[in-house]
Amino acid sequence: MDSYNVPVGPAAGRAPRYRFRKPNGPALVVQSLIATSAITDVYIIATGGKDSPWLAEDMVPLPAVLQVSCWISFLVWFHRVRRNAEVLAPGSHKYTRGFAVGAWIIPLAMWWLPRRITLDIHRAGGPAPRRPSDQRLVVRLAPQRPALGRLPPRGP
């Protein structure tokens, strides 16, 4: 992964250098915590709902601890993915790296800003956009067929 350590593109001169870090570890933690939280909720419902022994008053409720740990691990993963996107396409993002975490706590804006950041991340890691010149080349090389049922005009 050493090829990702050097910034490229028009903003390479002014962009800070970051290392590309694999997001697999935090993603696995997030997925495991979400699955554990879901299994815990099913178990609590199956064992009596509000009267479940896991929701006793003398102990910290396990579902609350799992929920908070899911939030924190998701934000760690999302921030890492955003930093990796900066390595792949420096200077092409609308929002800063810190805003990848901060956008989740802004009231009302939290419903669309994280989506915009996610679209920037997807655009940075996705395939390069096709150039219009490539599409024209495909159209020129396509064979021209006459329309069925009509003959081409004859002579001048």
Side-chain angles (χ1 to χ4, degrees):
M1 291 284 163
D2 292 331
S3 61
Y4 293 116
N5 291 339
V6 179
V8 295
R14 66 181 187 276
R17 291 185 179 206
Y18 296 108
R19 286 184 37 236
F20 185 88
R21 296 177 63 193
K22 290 184 180 180
N24 300 353
L28 183 63
V29 169
V30 170
Q31 292 170 1
S32 300
L33 285 172
I34 290 172
T36 305
S37 179
I39 291 169
T40 303
D41 289 343
V42 169
Y43 179 76
I44 288 173
I45 291 170
T47 59
K50 293 193 185 273
D51 297 330
S52 175
W54 284 13
L55 298 177
E57 293 180 15
D58 58 343
M59 60 182 271
V60 176
L62 181 64
V65 173
L66 283 173
Q67 189 71 34
V68 171
S69 60
C70 284
W71 294 338
I72 292 170
S73 60
F74 173 78
L75 290 176
V76 167
W77 170 79
F78 195 68
H79 189 260
R80 179 172 290 186
V81 171
R82 172 60 182 84
R83 285 185 65 162
N84 286 345
E86 187 71 31
V87 171
L88 295 174
S92 66
H93 300 280
K94 188 183 256 185
Y95 301 101
T96 63
R97 291 176 314 280
F99 211 60
V101 174
W104 292 95
I105 59 172
I106 300 173
L108 297 179
M110 64 185 247
W111 296 108
W112 72 86
L113 285 180
R115 180 180 183 272
R116 302 302 311 169
I117 295 168
T118 305
L119 290 175
D120 281 347
I121 293 169
H122 184 276
R123 200 173 310 115
R130 295 184 70 174
R131 297 179 308 197
S133 61
D134 293 343
Q135 292 173 355
R136 277 187 255 130
L137 180 64
V138 171
V139 171
R140 277 190 231 141
L141 294 178
Q144 298 293 325
R145 290 187 234 157
L148 296 174
R150 286 193 284 163
L151 294 174
R154 291 187 180 192

